């Protein structure tokens, strides 16, 4: 997966932030914090995971599904951009 290697640092930074959010959820549950705060942190964590998923799926599509040699204005290229846009909207 060349696309994950190219942005390895950025992806690992995202994972570290998600790890921090999960640790906050764990801590808040152990400390019996208000459920509103816990739910908000869970929602933020879910958003971060979805963002990570979207980034990796987009890289996969661009690297493994569509040929990098594809002309930018071709129908396949346009369909790829549409698919990525729909996927990102779905994962929000």
């Amino acid at each position: 997966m060349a696309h994950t290697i190219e942005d390895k640092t950025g992806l690992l930074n995202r994972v570290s932030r998600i790890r921090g959010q999960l640790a906050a959820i764990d801590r808040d549950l152990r400390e019996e914090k208000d459920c509103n705060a816990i739910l908000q942190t869970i929602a933020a964590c879910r958003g971060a995971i979805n963002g990570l998923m979207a980034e990796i799926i987009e890289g996969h599509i661009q690297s493994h599904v569509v040929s990098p040699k594809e002309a930018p204005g071709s129908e396949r290229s346009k369909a790829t951009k549409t698919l990525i846009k729909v996927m990102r909207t779905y994962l929000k």
Side-chain angles (χ1 to χ4, degrees):
M1 291 190 118
H3 58 95
T4 56
I5 294 169
E6 290 171 5
D7 191 26
K8 182 178 179 179
T9 302
L11 294 172
L12 289 174
N13 286 340
R14 279 178 172 253
V15 171
S16 291
R17 286 191 297 274
I18 293 166
R19 189 179 296 118
Q21 290 172 320
L22 288 171
I25 294 167
D26 182 82
R27 182 183 61 247
D28 290 352
L29 287 170
R30 289 177 192 283
E31 295 174 3
E32 300 178 4
K33 297 281 176 115
D34 181 61
C35 63
N36 290 330
I38 296 169
L39 289 169
Q40 189 169 10
T41 306
I42 291 169
C45 188
R46 179 178 179 253
I49 289 172
N50 284 346
L52 175 63
M53 174 74 85
E55 187 171 339
I56 292 177
I57 289 174
E58 181 176 344
H60 180 77
I61 291 168
Q62 291 175 342
S63 296
H64 303 290
V65 177
V66 177
S67 170
K69 298 175 186 175
E70 192 72 42
S74 71
E75 287 300 314
R76 182 170 282 211
S77 179
K78 290 177 188 176
T80 300
K81 288 179 183 175
T82 300
L83 174 62
I84 290 169
K85 183 178 177 183
V86 168
M87 180 262 318
R88 283 196 171 272
T89 300
Y90 177 77
L91 289 173
K92 277 190 174 182

